[in-house]
Amino acid sequence: MTEKMVYMFDEIDPDEFDSTKELKEFFGGKGAGLANMTQLGLPIPYGFNIPCKYSLYYAENKSWPDGLKDQINDAIHKIEEKSGKKFGDPDDPLLLSVRSGAPVSMPGMMDTVLNLGMSKDITKEMAENNPRWAWDSWRRFILSYSDIVKGTGREPYDEIMDDYKKEKGKKLDVELDASEMKELSDIYLEEYEKLVEEEFPEDPWDQLYSSINAVFSSWDSPRAKAYRKMNKIPEYGTAVNVMRMVFGNQDEKSGTGVLFTRSPMDGEKKVMGEFLENAQGEDVVAGVRTPMSMDDLREEKPEIVDQIYELANKLEAHYKDMQDCEFTVESGKLYFLQTRTGKRTATAAVKIAIDMLEEGIIDEKTCITRVEPKKIEALLHKRVSPEESKKPIAKGYNASPGAVTGKAVFDIDEAIEREENGERIILVRKETKPEDFPGMAASIGILTSRGGKTCHAAVVARGIGLPAIVGAGELEINEKDGEAKINDEVVFKTGDLISIDGLNGDVYVGEVEVIDPEITGEFKKYLKICDKYRKLGIRTNADTPEMAMNAVKNGAEGIGLCRTERMFNAEDRLPKVVDMILADTLEEREDALSNLEPLQREDFEGIFEEMDGKPVTVRLLDPPLHEFLPDYKDMLVEFTELRVNGEENKRYEELNRLITKYEELKEENAMLGHRGVRLGNTNPEIYKMQIRALISALIASQNDGIDVQLEIMLPLVSHVNEFTRLKNMLKPYAEELMEDEGFEPENRIKWGTMIEIPRAALTADEIAEEAEFFSFGTNDLTQMTFGFSRDDVEGKFLMKYIDEIMPPIMKDNPFEHLDEKGVGKLIEMSVDNGRKARKESHDEHLKIGICGEVGGDPQSIMFLQKADLDYVSCSPFRVPVARVAAAHAAVKEEDEE
Ligand code: PEP
Ligand code: MG
């Protein structure tokens, strides 16, 4: 028997699949939704599904498996039986929609053909009863067939439509009457034949087979591929759903709409939707006309709205999550066409998760998983300050939150080009179309003059977390000339700075003052639940009291890394560091160090105060000394000029000394050079100064009643002896300083190191016998494991490895996402060996954290939880992201057990 390749919607039994995920992977999201809706008894147009795997078959073989065609033909006959209509019969034609449906939603990326089965003869018959509808449907079919199946794009037809309306003095498509629609469809048909260079296919079966192939192929369109890559969607293939057409453009009692069972913007518990009278689904999504709200619709058609609400709530109760549905009303009868989990802003995600928990619909663990960790960053987005004196020039729909300032760019290619040159772009368009995606992804914000909250620009921006304003109708946008006008006056042009606030929809010319967000309300509750479940501790990388304060506000439980070299960068401090570097003798150097000591001490006191009672890991000086000297080339130019001009003055002498010192200190591979404990071992006076500053800050803070939990970290150890020698020198020194002040030094300070060189990872057992804690520095560890210079590769070739070379050499940037096979292996090994060795020699837990850049990355946190680390440390603003990611990791691990 040939395998079953075509499933009528009522032949799919969702209970035969272990999970919704598996159901979706087989039939696609739309197919799964249609099967569920059939089971729940919702009114849906009858039809069938061809599962995802057959699009992969088609991609590989450019043909169909044996038997597929027969099964499709049988399925069409079943729709004919159920509807009483006949495919290709002019008297009562069965018309179809052919819809793509991938396992995960890819808004606007995949193709759909509507009104299939029409021809000019069929249309003439249909026009007997309802001419406007018939000719409108026919011209739409020509357009969608030409665009999707023949790949001509829709622009030529849109232009014809715009010109035609202008000629007739009409603004909207609905204002065109039947004879005008007929005339327009003739012009479309001519255009088709001109563009495609063949006649329009009359045979509905040919139309059907070609459309199915076009939908199969849409999986591999460049824009779909780009979207998959950006969102890391696996190669599932797309299913095809063939359904009886229901017509939202049939008459005044018809229309089409989309709804969310709760607000996708702020999560309010209220069905939110948009409805376009006398229109087909594509009109809503394309944002061509401004739709009416559910409240407006209620005034006109209260019974339909009641029915929509009832069915929407039924769907939400079934899925236990907010749904995004498409529906059509055909001559007063309601049909649901699609349901899927609704995309939402981070604010809405948190509110819906907490509300559903409090309504008893979901449990705490599900509540945690309802908010993607990477979305949390959007909640931490900036807003335009209420104090800002600049007035907005226009207002649109607040489609996706965040306030940004960037250069206005009206053209997709230009946006991509400018972004590659490092410019920050706000893409300004009338509306966006699926093929604009690469340009949108290259921008930091989106502004359109058309569309509502469910239009393409809004959905895509929310999906990729870009601030966006849509439907700012006062703006007249001219994409060709690159300018935006209000009342005929140019308000900004290509390259001008503009600002948008996606939280409230305000558009500004120029730069504005933005403020940082606060953690309040539901977000606080949500984070509290995350903290209850997570096992990993969350610390922060902070070098100043202010960073420490922000991190504590965001929930940091300590400092995992305070980079002391960053404390010397202030303008008034640098000359003091230069003095230290230029010192020729030990005495001179100690003298210079004594000027730095009070500054360090002051900072440490500030940090201890902010972190009262929480651990603070302070890393002793790490970078190469010559980094603190002025730019070598600048010094050389100035020096040469002085010499040529015969001005061999004091400045000349100073430059001479600086240049000589620079050349003495400079290394070919500074990253692998005289830094960290190597510098500490050769010049211990530097670390001794830092110890003095730390101890005096500790004593002063303790005397002020602050509980200081100090951990001193020695950086860049590769051989255990580098660590042991310094510890044996600095620990007694610190203890002596404390004793001199009458402090009991016993175990007050912990001594540890950073594992950031592969040799240290390989000898973690030896180091663990000496060190009380480890923290992985994945920035250097990645650099040295790959042999990638961390200052160079991203600008030179790494991005090409990831984005340009096909198939890509690497999937992710290992400086951002933990490289599990290399660096990850080293981490797992050092954790195991280190813990074992410490237990054998000290019977004490070895505390292990991570403080490289990957510490705030959700994907990496999953791995680190499995590797049994005690904490991750990340930048202050990423602390909430890490809290959520760690909770996700814990829930996932529990579920796996
Ligand atoms: C590291 O190497 O991962 C690290 C945290 O240290 P730095 O970035 O200061 O080299
Ligand atoms: Mg490092």
Side-chain angles (χ1 to χ4, degrees), residues 126-260:
M126 283 164 58
E128 297 277 311
N129 298 327
N130 190 342
R132 190 189 179 284
W133 160 68
W135 293 113
D136 184 28
S137 303
W138 170 229
R139 65 121 199 135
R140 284 171 189 272
F141 178 45
I142 300 168
L143 188 162
S144 93
Y145 196 84
S146 176
D147 174 20
I148 309 299
V149 182
K150 296 297 177 185
T152 60
R154 51 180 299 133
E155 293 74 23
Y157 299 94
D158 286 344
E159 251 174 55
I160 293 174
M161 174 61 113
D162 283 347
D163 293 346
Y164 191 83
K165 279 190 292 195
K166 233 182 244 156
E167 189 191 314
K168 300 284 170 193
K170 297 190 171 164
K171 254 189 144 167
L172 302 173
D173 308 3
V174 275
E175 292 166 19
L176 298 173
D177 64 22
S179 68
E180 287 165 334
M181 278 298 181
K182 179 171 183 301
E183 196 179 353
L184 200 55
S185 68
D186 286 339
I187 307 174
Y188 273 27
L189 201 58
E190 261 173 47
E191 182 71 12
Y192 177 92
E193 284 165 8
K194 196 177 96 202
L195 290 173
V196 181
E197 294 177 347
E198 38 180 79
E199 287 194 2
F200 194 85
E202 296 274 318
D203 181 356
W205 295 95
D206 278 353
Q207 296 171 359
L208 175 66
Y209 305 144
S210 309
S211 299
I212 291 174
N213 285 341
V215 172
F216 278 161
S217 306
S218 65
W219 177 256
D220 278 326
S221 71
R223 65 176 200 245
K225 278 187 177 162
Y227 188 89
R228 285 208 291 283
K229 203 164 140 230
M230 178 141 180
N231 292 284
K232 307 212 168 4
I233 298 172
E235 291 302 307
Y236 294 122
T238 178
V240 180
N241 299 287
V242 179
M243 305 159 79
R244 179 171 86 74
M245 259 323 280
V246 285
F247 289 95
N249 60 339
Q250 186 147 308
D251 50 34
E252 295 311 313
K253 284 195 325 202
S254 305
T256 187
V258 290
L259 66 82
F260 292 92

Side-chain angles (χ1 to χ4, degrees), residues 561 563 565 619 622 675 754 756 777-780 790 851-852:
L561 174 61
R563 292 168 161 110
E565 61 276 7
R619 183 175 78 183
D622 180 23
R675 49 182 282 221
M754 199 180 228
E756 52 192 327
T778 54
N779 304 340
D780 276 310
R790 62 190 259 197
C851 54

Side-chain angles (χ1 to χ4, degrees), residues 541 561 563 565-566 619 622-623 671 675 713 715-716 754-756 775-784 790 850-854:
N541 300 343
L561 174 61
R563 292 168 161 110
E565 61 276 7
R566 300 249 171 112
R619 183 175 78 183
D622 180 23
M671 273 293 179
R675 49 182 282 221
M713 176 192 266
L716 217 78
M754 199 180 228
I755 304 280
E756 52 192 327
S775 185
F776 293 100
T778 54
N779 304 340
D780 276 310
L781 198 51
T782 305
Q783 162 167 268
M784 297 194 213
R790 62 190 259 197
I850 191 164
C851 54
E853 223 43 58
V854 307

